[in-house]
Amino acid sequence: WISAWSSALTRAKPQRQLGELTTLRSRASALMRRRKEPDVEQAVRLLQRACELVDDEKKEPTLCLEAAISLNTLMRIRTNSNTLHITRMLDTPEHKKVWREYG
């Protein structure tokens, strides 16, 4: 995926934003490895900013995938994956609100 990353860099709007795109993606990647809610939430914001730097018609699929994975991870952390447990159902109104907002 390194080559896909470099092709996303070449599609960034102005040349001066190439460094920012690289920085945003590497910081987001490091935050995602921590798997804690505040870190994942920050990674979501960083990847959304990275998506804004790339032209819509030239959006790199791996960048979009990274952003989608980070959003999905955030939703799963906040709602315990919205899974069915033996003792109770976790598909509560609060969890539905999270999935509606980010999903």
Side-chain angles (χ1 to χ4, degrees):
W1 67 274
I2 299 290
S3 63
W5 190 338
S6 64
S7 82
L9 293 177
T10 60
R11 294 183 183 140
K13 293 176 183 172
Q15 188 71 13
R16 70 181 192 280
Q17 291 178 340
L18 294 178
E20 184 179 0
L21 182 61
T22 302
T23 302
L24 290 171
R25 288 181 86 172
S26 62
R27 285 177 55 205
S29 177
L31 289 166
M32 287 296 292
R33 283 192 293 272
R34 294 182 189 166
R35 292 293 207 217
K36 301 290 183 202
E37 183 178 351
D39 297 327
V40 173
E41 189 171 8
Q42 187 176 357
V44 166
R45 286 194 300 271
L46 292 172
L47 289 168
Q48 286 174 338
R49 173 71 182 125
C51 287
E52 292 170 1
L53 292 177
V54 180
D55 291 325
D56 286 338
E57 64 275 359
K58 298 178 182 176
K59 201 68 86 186
E60 180 60 41
T62 56
L63 177 59
C64 295
L65 181 61
E66 288 174 39
I69 289 171
S70 67
L71 282 168
N72 189 276
T73 302
L74 182 62
M75 289 186 297
R76 289 179 178 277
I77 289 172
R78 287 188 176 171
T79 64
N80 296 316
S81 301
N82 241 22
T83 55
L84 176 63
H85 288 252
I86 292 173
T87 57
R88 60 190 160 92
M89 177 68 170
L90 293 179
D91 194 19
T92 63
E94 296 82 20
H95 291 179
K96 288 179 182 179
K97 182 179 176 187
V98 170
W99 282 85
R100 191 177 314 113
E101 180 180 347
Y102 294 108

